[in-house]
Amino acid sequence: MSNFLEIVYIQAVSQLSNEKLYNLIKAFKKRTGYGVLCNTSLNFNGRGLINKLDDLSLYTIQHKLDGFIVNGKVYLLKSSQHYQDYLKK
């Protein structure tokens, strides 16, 4: 797989270098048969990569997403049906 410039960026991960990511990829492979994570470099068109929580929040609202996860913490929009269902529990 490559981007529009025909450039491929490969990053390997080991249990020693990043145990959480390694275990996630290993579990994904067990379930799907594919031990690969594809980073699509989430970005705003014309604004560059998203690297601040505020930008990610704005992106989530503008694209009508339910929420996102950062460092293991789940952020859901209050208007999200998933969030509303969570409140009912």
Side-chain angles (χ1 to χ4, degrees):
M1 179 181 291
S2 61
N3 65 14
F4 71 98
L5 296 173
E6 300 297 333
I7 299 172
V8 177
Y9 302 97
I10 298 172
Q11 181 179 3
V13 64
S14 69
Q15 191 170 11
L16 184 61
S17 67
N18 189 330
E19 187 173 8
K20 286 183 180 181
L21 183 57
Y22 175 84
N23 290 335
L24 175 67
I25 293 171
K26 190 173 176 180
F28 184 77
K29 182 176 182 180
K30 183 177 180 181
R31 187 170 195 164
T32 67
Y34 300 99
V36 175
L37 176 67
C38 180
N39 179 353
T40 60
S41 299
L42 181 65
N43 61 70
F44 275 121
N45 189 15
R47 288 188 51 199
L49 299 177
I50 294 175
N51 57 13
K52 293 189 290 184
L53 198 55
D54 290 346
D55 288 340
L56 184 54
S57 295
L58 182 59
Y59 182 92
T60 300
I61 293 166
Q62 289 180 348
H63 290 83
K64 299 179 180 161
L65 303 175
D66 289 319
F68 51 89
I69 300 172
V70 174
N71 292 329
K73 186 173 181 181
V74 177
Y75 297 84
L76 291 173
L77 295 179
K78 290 181 180 179
S79 60
S80 161
Q81 186 60 51
H82 290 101
Y83 181 72
Q84 295 301 318
D85 292 345
Y86 169 76
L87 291 177
K88 293 175 187 175
K89 292 181 180 181

